[in-house]
Amino acid sequence: MTLTGQSLVAGQWIGDSANGEFNAFSPARNEPLSTRFFNLSAAELDGAIAAAQSAFYEYRKTSFAQRADFLTCIADHILALGDELLEQTHQETNLPMMRLQGERMRTVNQLKAFASALRENPESPLGLKVVDEADAARAPLPKPHTELNYLPLGPVAVFGASNFPYAFSTLGGDTAAALAAGCPVIVKNHTAHPGTGELMARAALAAIKECAMPLGVFAMVQSKAYDMSHQLVAAPEIKAVGFTGSFNVASKLQATIAKREEPIPFYGELGSINPQVILPNKAIEQSKEIAQSLCQSMLMGNGQFCTSPGLWLVPTGCDELEAHITACIDDAPSDTLLTPGIVNTFKHQIAARSQLDKVSVLGAGKLAKAFHANAHVFACNGDDYLATPALQEEVFGPAALVVRYDSEQQLMTLVNQLQGQLTASVHGTDADLNKADSLIEALQYKVGRLIKNQMPTGVEVCGSMNHGGPFPSSTDVRSTSVGTNAILRFMRPICYQA
Amino acid sequence: MTLTGQSLVAGQWIGDSANGEFNAFSPARNEPLSTRFFNLSAAELDGAIAAAQSAFYEYRKTSFAQRADFLTCIADHILALGDELLEQTHQETNLPMMRLQGERMRTVNQLKAFASALRENPESPLGLKVVDEADAARAPLPKPHTELNYLPLGPVAVFGASNFPYAFSTLGGDTAAALAAGCPVIVKNHTAHPGTGELMARAALAAIKECAMPLGVFAMVQSKAYDMSHQLVAAPEIKAVGFTGSFNVASKLQATIAKREEPIPFYGELGSINPQVILPNKAIEQSKEIAQSLCQSMLMGNGQFCTSPGLWLVPTGCDELEAHITACIDDAPSDTLLTPGIVNTFKHQIAARSQLDKVSVLGAGKLAKAFHANAHVFACNGDDYLATPALQEEVFGPAALVVRYDSEQQLMTLVNQLQGQLTASVHGTDADLNKADSLIEALQYKVGRLIKNQMPTGVEVCGSMNHGGPFPSSTDVRSTSVGTNAILRFMRPICYQA
């Protein structure tokens, strides 16, 4: 089916070249694709916002069962897009087809998880309703009947990610959570995969029509204009913002949001270096296994997972472990990253890190094509790491840093100076873990998910998942973007007293 | 016992006249009290912040049972302050002794409610832990074991209110919730009742010692210096702020918080006009009863409750109802407000409202003393109200505005233009309420607590309570400052995966 290059607003495909246009891009061929996409105008965005507000009055009255049907219907229409969706996304991202199949299933599962949660708890989200019975006989004053329940916040703006074209984009976790909560959604589609966004919006529109939902309940905005994002988050009708992307863009959006008269929640997911702590016995007894696990996890999606393990804390002197890492990384094939801009940043960061005196290259994959990114693992000792704050910065792409700790005490120092992270893992034998209470106690205050003896990539979609973590990994640590608890991002409590 | 006039920092009473001082004030006599209080210096506040951070490392490790014992011990020590506390507060606020007894009990009950909740749920706050079991056999990948639980955020700053010297002040709801959550607290005591704050801090210190808690877990800061509050909320160690007070002060604090590198939650409770909707049959059939209820609720604490009903929507032409209101208000004795500044603002607002062409005075109490505030109920019709945004502003003190609606449609218009409110009540007979679905549906999106046939004053401390509401009544609508759910203000989710 031909792509229109347009945005979806109030059930209509709109936008033309009058307001500027841009092309999709093929990372694999390192050249633009032929499809053009049209920037939505400011007035057209205002229309989408007004339609979302208008839809809210209807949509908030839908029962949980109706919303569950709607979410399931969206999931079905995503699957019905079939291979056309996968091929379009593969063209726009060069992510492997198998990876895209997995991410599509995960996105469908997130929609269905909300549908199940809504069906299982038709009276309140996650069964959180609380009832206190009246007591007319209580002295000195009678006790009233009070019930706590939850209401949707209102229209929500969602900013999709480049690296998860399904799971954190147009119909990803935030959109699913907001729709489950009873909130209309306006998605600012990521310009790295505009055709994917259009196809997903097509699936959403089909479900809206099939379920007779108000047309303004979902809009998808295409634009390369910087102002558009700020116009969206500044609009008084918008009651929450979900964002997955860079620290810099998030800071600018947050500054605009801070100028609003009404404060609203800003759920930003800004990246993480996901520290991996390798304890001494594990490092020695299972050196090959742990080295390969670290490398494989880091290389997944060519290092473009938000949970990619970018910092590996290993005991000083584990030569075998380091040799296995070197062997694994030297063998890693190079590949493209999502956009030329990301490749460019990656190469600059790699060059800068390579030039640091106290940092050595432990392994580096060969570069097959000039516009590829090739894997790098650097290494330094704990003292030099502590003295070089730049080494804490995330390198987005296939890179990691081994930091050698020379004592339990230095390991604790390294953990205590960490910034907030989405995840961290502790890898240890039983003997290691029996001595690691203080380490684990300290580490949990740095992360949103604490993992034992597993890699951080692969985020389970379930009720107990938490995806988010202390700043700067996320801007609102009290919530998750994955799993059924994410519905609470877009609801608020209300007490009914009678 | 003699008051020191000092602040409590890390278990020590500190502060002297070097950094400026101020006197407590007697609203009843309209003159300063003899006790002097010393402004804490910026360096001394830094000491309190460092002590809170240091205490956090210990306090966060306490079991729920230990925290429950600590909270219960604080409650016991508040009661042990006995009449000395009540008399001090009465001197500083002129709130009636009986009202203070009630508020003290409510404050003790809030502490004990958290203690009970912690004891009942020793594994997670409010039993919110979620466990998903591992499934090694799942294809294509095994399912990991994941558990969701909650961690305290870190040191919390609390700004006490003038109008609730116990329940929303030094050892009020936010302090209790933060301590229950595992967070140290630094209270900026309200300068309207500094002696009360000192006595309360004494109770806290006694409990800290008795329960062997880290000394930095609670600090109480006395200061009239404007900069101190901003220094406190800007400190990187502070991870959340609880505030009860005016829109203007909150806006300034929020601007400082917006400049932080790390975003943190700001829980401001900024006031509310708490609309009361009187439906037609109720207004006619129970005119005397409803008029008296409205007046009594509004006059409670001389109109200084955050839930004071300030806007009464009544059908046009209910002369009996209005006559009952007039009789009740004309009889109301005048009294002081909490501070001369509050009296001054009240008088200006009353004068401004009296001068509006389209607004009449329905009732006014006599002014016994010049520095008192006397009750006022104004009235206008719906159209004039809609045309005069200033009439939506809160008048803090014994004042209310009757707005006469001439149709169901106008009532809906009035409800739809409301700003966010802590509460609203709908008063109706069964016949009224059977026709009120649309009204109630719309009204719930304006409030944090929706009440049927009861007055909004009197906030129950229980698991289903919500105190907070859409902006501007509160700055973070996703949380409550009263009831056990308030513990979630100061915790965040974490997932443990193994």
Side-chain angles (χ1 to χ4, degrees):
Chain A
M1 222 183 307
T2 318
L3 293 169
T4 68
Q6 293 179 307
S7 298
L8 176 66
V9 173
Q12 304 294 316
W13 294 97
I14 62 170
D16 54 41
S17 58
N19 200 44
E21 58 188 46
F22 62 98
N23 281 67
F25 190 89
S26 162
R29 304 206 309 264
N30 199 37
E31 63 183 29
L33 292 161
S34 59
T35 326
R36 294 181 314 169
F37 294 85
F38 305 115
N39 290 340
L40 201 69
S41 73
E44 288 162 341
L45 179 61
D46 278 342
I49 294 166
Q53 178 61 43
S54 166
F56 180 51
Y57 296 124
E58 275 186 70
Y59 188 60
R60 70 191 191 185
K61 284 191 262 194
T62 53
S63 68
F64 282 18
Q66 287 172 308
R67 287 183 218 158
D69 289 346
F70 179 38
L71 294 171
T72 306
C73 190
I74 293 173
D76 292 342
H77 279 285
I78 292 174
L79 292 175
L81 292 169
D83 288 348
E84 186 186 357
L85 174 69
L86 299 172
E87 282 156 15
Q88 179 69 34
T89 313
H90 179 63
Q91 268 203 323
E92 294 179 331
T93 63
N94 201 33
L95 293 171
M97 291 298 272
M98 205 194 219
R99 147 75 200 273
L100 290 175
Q101 282 168 345
E103 191 186 330
R104 178 180 63 175
M105 191 48 66
R106 187 202 138 125
T107 305
V108 162
N109 284 345
Q110 176 77 78
L111 285 158
K112 290 188 174 171
F114 283 121
S116 298
L118 290 169
R119 288 198 186 98
E120 278 164 28
N121 304 285
E123 284 203 43
S124 75
L126 312 174
L128 290 175
K129 181 171 165 177
V130 181
V131 179
D132 284 292
E133 299 294 349
D135 178 2
R138 191 187 61 175
L141 289 171
K143 184 175 185 299
H145 178 93
T146 48
E147 292 190 9
L148 189 75
N149 217 325
Y150 293 81
L151 289 174
L153 292 181
V156 167
V158 172
F159 292 80
S162 60
N163 57 338
F164 278 84
Y166 306 146
F168 288 90
S169 286
T170 319
L171 297 179
D174 273 336
T175 300
L179 291 176
C183 301
V185 175
I186 298 175
V187 174
K188 166 67 182 66
N189 194 49
H190 201 287
T191 52
H193 43 71
T196 302
E198 179 170 337
L199 292 174
M200 283 297 206
R202 217 181 266 174
L205 180 59
I208 287 168
K209 289 183 173 169
E210 205 168 308
C211 301
M213 290 292 164
L215 293 174
V217 78
F218 174 83
M220 185 279 297
V221 173
Q222 305 276 22
S223 178
K224 270 215 164 167
Y226 173 85
D227 290 350
M228 175 123 307
S229 302
H230 291 268
Q231 182 189 345
L232 182 56
V233 303
E237 294 87 350
I238 297 296
K239 300 302 184 192
V241 178
F243 171 89
T244 306
S246 74
F247 185 85
N248 285 339
V249 175
S251 301
K252 287 171 187 158
L253 286 179
Q254 192 143 45
T256 295
I257 291 169
K259 285 183 205 136
R260 291 172 58 105
E261 191 188 329
E262 176 183 14
I264 57 170
F266 174 57
Y267 301 109
E269 201 265 77
L270 315 185
S272 173
I273 56 173
N274 306 297
Q276 305 296 300
V277 181
I278 322 299
L279 294 173
N281 294 311
K282 184 85 174 185
I284 292 165
E285 293 171 25
Q286 302 174 33
S287 63
K288 184 169 184 183
E289 181 194 46
I290 191 71
Q292 287 182 339
S293 295
L294 287 166
C295 295
Q296 281 163 12
S297 177
M298 186 273 275
L299 292 169
M300 278 183 75
N302 211 17
Q304 297 172 101
F305 280 34
C306 46
T307 52
S308 187
L311 178 68
W312 306 349
L313 302 171
V314 308
T316 302
C318 291
D319 297 341
E320 279 192 39
L321 173 70
E322 294 195 10
H324 289 303
I325 291 172
T326 303
C328 192
I329 296 297
D330 286 350
D331 273 354
S334 74
D335 204 347
T336 65
L337 297 180
L338 292 154
T339 68
I342 292 175
V343 174
N344 194 36
T345 303
F346 178 80
K347 294 197 172 192
H348 273 97
Q349 287 180 298
I350 293 296
R353 205 155 272 198
S354 301
Q355 280 159 20
L356 290 173
D357 263 359
K358 306 295 175 70
V359 176
S360 62
V361 176
L362 208 57
K366 295 204 173 40
L367 196 62
K369 293 187 182 172
F371 59 92
H372 278 191
N374 55 335
H376 280 76
V377 173
F378 298 93
C380 70
N381 70 41
D383 286 340
D384 290 327
Y385 179 80
L386 291 168
T388 316
L391 290 173
Q392 269 217 20
E393 278 170 26
E394 183 182 7
V395 177
F396 189 80
L401 173 66
V402 169
V403 174
R404 304 176 184 115
Y405 62 88
D406 55 24
S407 63
E408 264 181 57
Q409 196 189 343
Q410 190 179 48
L411 178 56
M412 284 299 288
T413 305
L414 288 163
V415 164
N416 283 324
Q417 59 75 51
L418 286 172
Q419 290 191 294
Q421 306 290 341
L422 290 171
T423 73
S425 304
V426 178
H427 302 272
T429 63
D430 288 349
D432 285 324
L433 292 172
N434 286 339
K435 295 193 301 179
D437 283 356
S438 296
L439 172 79
I440 288 170
E441 204 277 325
L443 201 53
Q444 66 185 338
Y445 285 94
K446 301 292 186 176
V447 303
R449 179 164 53 111
L450 184 61
I451 305 166
K452 274 189 200 165
N453 282 326
Q454 293 175 9
M455 290 298 146
T457 41
V459 180
E460 194 66 26
V461 176
C462 61
S464 60
M465 181 44 58
N466 183 57
H467 192 66
F471 186 83
S473 75
S474 78
T475 57
D476 191 324
V477 75
R478 290 158 298 155
S479 77
T480 175
S481 67
V482 175
T484 39
N485 264 27
I487 195 174
L488 297 174
R489 289 188 157 200
F490 305 113
M491 305 197 94
R492 56 122 174 146
I494 179 170
C495 175
Y496 298 93
Q497 178 176 332
Chain B
M1 225 185 303
T2 317
L3 293 169
T4 68
Q6 292 178 306
S7 298
L8 177 66
V9 172
Q12 304 294 316
W13 294 96
I14 63 170
D16 54 40
S17 58
N19 200 44
E21 58 188 47
F22 61 98
N23 280 67
F25 191 89
S26 162
R29 304 206 309 265
N30 200 35
E31 63 183 28
L33 292 161
S34 59
T35 325
R36 294 181 313 169
F37 293 84
F38 305 114
N39 291 340
L40 201 68
S41 72
E44 288 163 340
L45 179 61
D46 279 341
I49 294 166
Q53 178 60 43
S54 165
F56 180 52
Y57 297 122
E58 275 186 71
Y59 188 59
R60 70 191 191 185
K61 285 191 261 194
T62 54
S63 67
F64 281 18
Q66 286 172 308
R67 286 183 217 158
D69 289 346
F70 180 38
L71 293 171
T72 307
C73 190
I74 293 173
D76 291 343
H77 279 285
I78 291 173
L79 292 174
L81 292 168
D83 289 347
E84 187 186 358
L85 175 68
L86 298 173
E87 282 155 15
Q88 180 68 34
T89 312
H90 179 64
Q91 268 202 323
E92 293 179 331
T93 63
N94 200 33
L95 293 172
M97 291 298 271
M98 205 194 217
R99 145 77 201 272
L100 291 174
Q101 282 169 342
E103 192 186 329
R104 178 179 64 176
M105 190 48 65
R106 187 202 138 125
T107 305
V108 163
N109 284 345
Q110 176 77 77
L111 286 156
K112 291 188 173 172
F114 284 120
S116 297
L118 291 168
R119 288 198 186 99
E120 279 164 28
N121 304 285
E123 284 203 43
S124 75
L126 313 174
L128 290 176
K129 181 171 164 177
V130 181
V131 179
D132 284 290
E133 300 294 347
D135 178 3
R138 191 186 61 174
L141 288 171
K143 183 176 188 296
H145 177 94
T146 49
E147 292 191 9
L148 188 76
N149 217 325
Y150 293 81
L151 289 174
L153 293 181
V156 168
V158 172
F159 292 80
S162 60
N163 58 337
F164 278 85
Y166 305 146
F168 288 89
S169 286
T170 320
L171 297 179
D174 273 335
T175 300
L179 292 176
C183 301
V185 175
I186 298 176
V187 174
K188 165 68 182 65
N189 194 49
H190 200 287
T191 52
H193 44 71
T196 302
E198 179 170 337
L199 292 174
M200 284 296 206
R202 217 181 268 175
L205 180 58
I208 288 168
K209 289 184 172 169
E210 207 168 307
C211 300
M213 289 293 164
L215 293 173
V217 78
F218 174 84
M220 185 279 296
V221 173
Q222 305 276 22
S223 178
K224 272 215 164 167
Y226 173 86
D227 290 350
M228 174 123 307
S229 302
H230 292 268
Q231 182 189 345
L232 181 56
V233 303
E237 294 87 351
I238 297 296
K239 299 302 183 192
V241 178
F243 171 89
T244 306
S246 74
F247 184 86
N248 286 338
V249 175
S251 301
K252 287 172 187 158
L253 287 179
Q254 192 143 44
T256 295
I257 291 169
K259 285 183 207 136
R260 291 173 58 105
E261 190 187 329
E262 176 182 15
I264 58 170
F266 174 57
Y267 301 108
E269 201 266 77
L270 315 185
S272 173
I273 56 173
N274 306 296
Q276 304 296 300
V277 181
I278 321 301
L279 293 173
N281 293 311
K282 184 85 172 185
I284 291 164
E285 292 171 26
Q286 302 174 34
S287 64
K288 184 168 183 181
E289 183 196 43
I290 191 70
Q292 288 182 342
S293 294
L294 287 166
C295 295
Q296 281 163 12
S297 177
M298 186 274 276
L299 293 168
M300 279 182 75
N302 212 19
Q304 297 170 102
F305 280 34
C306 45
T307 52
S308 186
L311 177 66
W312 306 348
L313 302 172
V314 307
T316 302
C318 291
D319 297 342
E320 277 192 42
L321 173 69
E322 294 195 10
H324 288 305
I325 291 171
T326 302
C328 193
I329 296 298
D330 285 351
D331 272 356
S334 72
D335 203 346
T336 64
L337 297 180
L338 292 153
T339 69
I342 292 174
V343 174
N344 196 35
T345 302
F346 178 81
K347 294 196 171 190
H348 272 96
Q349 287 180 298
I350 293 297
R353 204 154 271 199
S354 302
Q355 279 159 21
L356 290 173
D357 263 359
K358 305 296 174 70
V359 175
S360 62
V361 176
L362 208 59
K366 295 204 174 40
L367 197 63
K369 292 186 182 172
F371 59 91
H372 279 190
N374 55 335
H376 278 76
V377 172
F378 298 93
C380 68
N381 70 41
D383 287 340
D384 290 327
Y385 179 79
L386 291 169
T388 316
L391 290 172
Q392 268 217 20
E393 278 170 27
E394 182 181 7
V395 176
F396 188 80
L401 172 65
V402 169
V403 173
R404 304 176 185 116
Y405 62 87
D406 54 25
S407 64
E408 263 181 58
Q409 195 190 343
Q410 189 178 51
L411 178 56
M412 285 299 288
T413 306
L414 288 162
V415 163
N416 283 325
Q417 60 74 51
L418 286 171
Q419 291 191 292
Q421 307 290 340
L422 290 171
T423 73
S425 304
V426 178
H427 302 272
T429 63
D430 288 350
D432 286 324
L433 293 172
N434 285 340
K435 295 193 299 178
D437 282 357
S438 297
L439 172 80
I440 288 169
E441 204 277 326
L443 201 52
Q444 66 185 337
Y445 285 94
K446 301 292 187 175
V447 303
R449 180 164 53 111
L450 183 61
I451 305 166
K452 274 189 201 164
N453 283 326
Q454 293 175 8
M455 289 298 146
T457 42
V459 180
E460 195 66 27
V461 177
C462 62
S464 60
M465 181 44 57
N466 183 57
H467 192 66
F471 185 83
S473 74
S474 78
T475 57
D476 190 324
V477 75
R478 290 157 298 155
S479 77
T480 176
S481 67
V482 175
T484 39
N485 264 27
I487 196 174
L488 296 174
R489 289 188 157 200
F490 304 114
M491 305 196 95
R492 56 119 175 148
I494 180 172
C495 174
Y496 299 93
Q497 177 177 333

